[in-house]
Amino acid sequence: MPAAVVRFMCRQGYFLARQRQRGITQRCEVPFKSAVLAHRYCSSSVDSLIGKQASSKRQDGQRKKTQIPSSSINFSDIDALDSSLTPEQWGMMKAQFRHPQDFERKAMERLVKNPNFRVAESLMAYIEEEGRKPRYGVLFSYLAICVRCEMYDEMFKVYAELRRTGKMLDPNLLATLIKGFCGTDRWKESLEFLKIVKVLGKAYSRHYNHIIIAAVEHGEKQFGMSLFEEMMSAGLTPSDECYGAVMRTLSLAEEEKRVYNLFEEMRNNGEHPSQTLALHIKEWFEGKTSEKWTGTFTSIHASGHCRACGTRLEGTNLTDEEFHLLHDSVLRRVIHGKDIFRSTTPEELKKFLDFIKDRNDYDVIVDGLNVAYAFGSKQKKYSRTLLKVVEHLVQQLGLRVLVLGRKHMKVTTAHGAWRRSDMDTIESLADLFLTDNVSKDDPYLLSATLSCGPHARFISGDFMRDHKALLDNFVQRLFLKWLRGHQMKLLSISYGVPIFSDVHTFDIVVQRTQNTWHFPYDDGEPRQGLEGPDKWLCVRRGN
């Protein structure tokens, strides 16, 4: 068989058994080959930069995976493999792959999601047998697998190769290296990676967490705490493990204030600890503090009283100073911000501000389209839904109502989605302000509600995330607190009566009194919009 044909078939993975046996002797004669191949074919002690057999601390604990017959392996089976593949098997799989040039990178990325070190190691051996050097993406993913599987000797070799390639300016790579090095006695070298991240730009929590944990676990508490405080001062949120390591370290009575300051930071940042962190907090109070504290997992009554201790939690009303700060900030950043005219015109904005200046005593502002479309487009009774809400607010509750909408709502017919009779009745019961059809009404909704004073509420299912993002951190906290106490959402209409979501009577943040701490914690259940955790840790002094 011509040599060119043999090389082609080898590249495609079609190895003949007899030719393979002949090739084994030739491979053993090469002075610098992969240790994986050397071990497999020659039982040699040759080492290579990447591919040396290592022992996994997690190998015994890995879950059993499905055995795949070697004759029928394809790309979708990679994460179900229980053992390494031969170069021939990798070659056959690559030959069937739609984009062979991306095969190794895609295969390694798949292995990252469900890491099996032996399979990844055999893929690296396949690349080396073909005489190619792995690309950066392959090396990066292989490094991540080594870290996840705690194959630290192999990790150090991949790191050395990456340094030679000069690919050390990727923040994601540096975060992976920090995590890996912090699992070894060489954890202090991760500080160099952190310095590089700071030079490149902003460091994130993932660049700090593992270094802080490693520092305190190796007895360098003060150094770990200095990094922790640096992280917090940068507005970064520590991981549960990082919080837990710090609290375990700060166990002396004179250090209690530092932990209390952490809890205050949680409050100021509106953070909700996870269930795991809530357990750490409970254990810290019960075992590390100088006084006797008792922790109980509980809930809060709708009235705002803790079911475990009876304490009335802080409400959602703002002080006069806080309300004026929020009002001015929303007007400045949301209403008069530089992007406002992407969603309206100067003439329309002036018209609205003049309108609300003269009529600023509404009890409820209704997001007309949001309410009308609350139940989807199947029934197409938009004006009828809106009318039911307005009638209830005005006739049953005696409230003064402003409806915000768009001009197409007045393009009515005798029947259909927008009925002329419905809109005429709405306009007779409430004030109606309609913007151009291309305008966004959220800024008007917020401005109108705030301009009517602390008592006014609004009805909308919008989460207001974009507008919250325009505000400063402290004002964001006030904005969220105000929303929880003033925003209602139309849930249903039962026998002609609208059913709205309840506004919160208490704020969902870490709270403290003289004898109690209350922590709302996230149990992992999905939530939307303003929904905060409904589970709390109550810690009270004494029994």
Side-chain angles (χ1 to χ4, degrees), residues 35-184:
V36 176
L37 296 176
H39 177 75
R40 182 181 295 133
Y41 297 123
C42 341
S43 298
S44 167
S45 60
V46 177
D47 286 342
S48 74
L49 195 58
I50 300 171
K52 181 180 179 182
Q53 294 282 359
S55 59
S56 172
K57 297 180 182 178
R58 296 174 55 191
Q59 186 175 2
D60 294 338
Q62 286 182 341
R63 65 181 178 87
K64 187 175 181 180
K65 300 185 179 181
T66 306
Q67 294 284 354
I68 305 296
S70 60
S71 60
S72 60
I73 294 175
N74 56 55
F75 187 81
S76 62
D77 297 325
I78 288 178
D79 54 6
L81 294 173
D82 187 44
S83 58
S84 59
L85 299 183
T86 65
E88 291 89 338
Q89 290 171 323
W90 282 117
M92 293 171 63
M93 194 186 303
K94 181 176 181 178
Q96 300 169 9
F97 197 67
R98 179 174 297 181
H99 303 290
Q101 68 276 11
D102 289 332
F103 172 73
E104 288 89 1
R105 179 176 62 85
K106 293 290 187 181
M108 202 65 85
E109 286 176 354
R110 184 158 187 151
L111 287 169
V112 168
K113 298 177 181 178
N114 192 15
N116 183 307
F117 174 72
R118 296 304 176 197
V119 178
E121 181 189 39
S122 68
L123 177 55
M124 297 298 291
Y126 162 68
I127 296 171
E128 190 166 349
E129 184 183 78
E130 287 204 327
R132 295 183 287 111
K133 286 187 174 294
R135 295 179 180 178
Y136 171 73
V138 175
L139 278 176
F140 183 11
S141 296
Y142 184 51
L143 176 74
I145 293 170
C146 292
V147 172
R148 290 272 303 275
C149 296
E150 299 179 10
M151 307 297 289
Y152 296 126
D153 289 343
E154 189 76 355
M155 176 195 73
F156 291 136
K157 293 179 180 180
V158 181
Y159 163 62
E161 176 68 9
L162 287 165
R163 288 198 63 168
R164 266 200 291 273
T165 62
K167 303 286 188 178
M168 292 297 296
L169 299 179
D170 181 351
N172 295 320
L173 170 65
L174 293 168
T176 302
L177 287 170
I178 287 172
K179 179 180 179 180
F181 272 68
C182 286
T184 73

Side-chain angles (χ1 to χ4, degrees), residues 159-208:
Y159 163 62
E161 176 68 9
L162 287 165
R163 288 198 63 168
R164 266 200 291 273
T165 62
K167 303 286 188 178
M168 292 297 296
L169 299 179
D170 181 351
N172 295 320
L173 170 65
L174 293 168
T176 302
L177 287 170
I178 287 172
K179 179 180 179 180
F181 272 68
C182 286
T184 73
D185 292 336
R186 294 172 59 178
W187 68 272
K188 283 192 175 180
E189 294 180 42
S190 62
L191 293 172
E192 295 300 318
F193 306 142
L194 180 60
K195 289 180 181 178
I196 297 173
V197 171
K198 291 178 180 178
V199 171
L200 292 175
K202 183 180 178 182
Y204 293 95
S205 300
R206 58 196 173 125
H207 299 115
Y208 280 94

Side-chain angles (χ1 to χ4, degrees), residues 278 282 285-286 293-300 306-309 517-519 521 535-540 542-543:
K282 180 179 184 292
F285 271 103
E286 293 179 341
W293 292 81
T294 303
T296 306
F297 292 108
T298 185
S299 61
I300 307 299
C306 174
R307 297 182 188 275
C309 68
W517 281 91
H518 288 91
F519 300 86
Y521 66 90
K535 296 183 179 179
W536 290 70
L537 169 63
C538 167
V539 185
R540 58 189 183 276
N543 295 323

Side-chain angles (χ1 to χ4, degrees), residues 240-286:
D240 290 353
E241 294 79 8
C242 186
Y243 265 127
V246 167
M247 285 192 292
R248 286 192 298 272
T249 301
L250 299 177
S251 58
L252 301 176
E254 59 268 20
E255 293 178 318
E256 289 178 10
K257 186 175 180 181
R258 298 182 82 172
V259 181
Y260 292 161
N261 288 338
L262 299 184
F263 299 155
E264 291 292 345
E265 287 291 330
M266 288 185 188
R267 170 187 169 83
N268 294 335
N269 295 331
E271 296 174 18
H272 300 141
S274 68
Q275 189 167 352
T276 300
L277 181 53
L279 183 59
H280 284 315
I281 294 171
K282 180 179 184 292
E283 292 173 347
W284 182 85
F285 271 103
E286 293 179 341

